[in-house]
Amino acid sequence: MFPGAGNPHFFAEQLAEGLSPWKVPEFWLGWTNEPNHYQDVTGFIDMKLKALAEHRSQLQGGVLGFFEEWLPAEAEENGRKIGVQHAEAFRVLRLG
């Protein structure tokens, strides 16, 4: 992840594996108050909730139930903004 991805000293062990530093072209921030990009995620809400459910230690006390209600509703609201069933909102920062 930026800024470590472009620094050859940050992941030195990967140089030995033949990998090269990579310049991160953009950074996507989720759950932002100022989105400038909406990504169509139609067809992936169930998969996202299933993946989220695997984080048991972070979802104690019924927190998953909140996400099972909120996440699809949020995705539908964002989807309407770009004419799809479900979308996620991001603030995309272009770095170069």
Side-chain angles (χ1 to χ4, degrees):
M1 180 192 286
F2 177 79
N7 183 338
H9 304 291
F10 205 87
F11 298 106
E13 73 282 1
Q14 292 182 356
L15 295 175
E17 296 173 10
L19 299 173
S20 301
W22 182 67
K23 183 178 179 183
V24 176
E26 55 191 31
F27 201 74
W28 291 36
L29 304 169
W31 294 343
T32 175
N33 291 331
E34 298 180 10
N36 62 358
H37 177 79
Y38 293 87
Q39 184 67 40
D40 183 359
V41 296
T42 302
F44 291 97
I45 296 300
D46 289 339
M47 183 185 304
K48 185 175 179 115
L49 287 169
K50 186 176 179 180
L52 186 61
E54 294 300 315
H55 297 273
R56 291 176 190 92
S57 66
Q58 299 169 9
L59 297 172
Q60 297 175 355
V63 175
L64 182 59
F66 164 78
F67 282 107
E68 288 173 333
E69 291 183 29
W70 176 79
L71 201 92
E74 178 79 1
E76 288 176 14
E77 181 180 329
N78 286 326
R80 284 192 290 275
K81 295 175 182 176
I82 62 169
V84 300
Q85 184 180 3
H86 295 121
E88 289 188 16
F90 295 93
R91 179 74 178 178
V92 178
L93 306 175
R94 300 201 187 336
L95 304 176

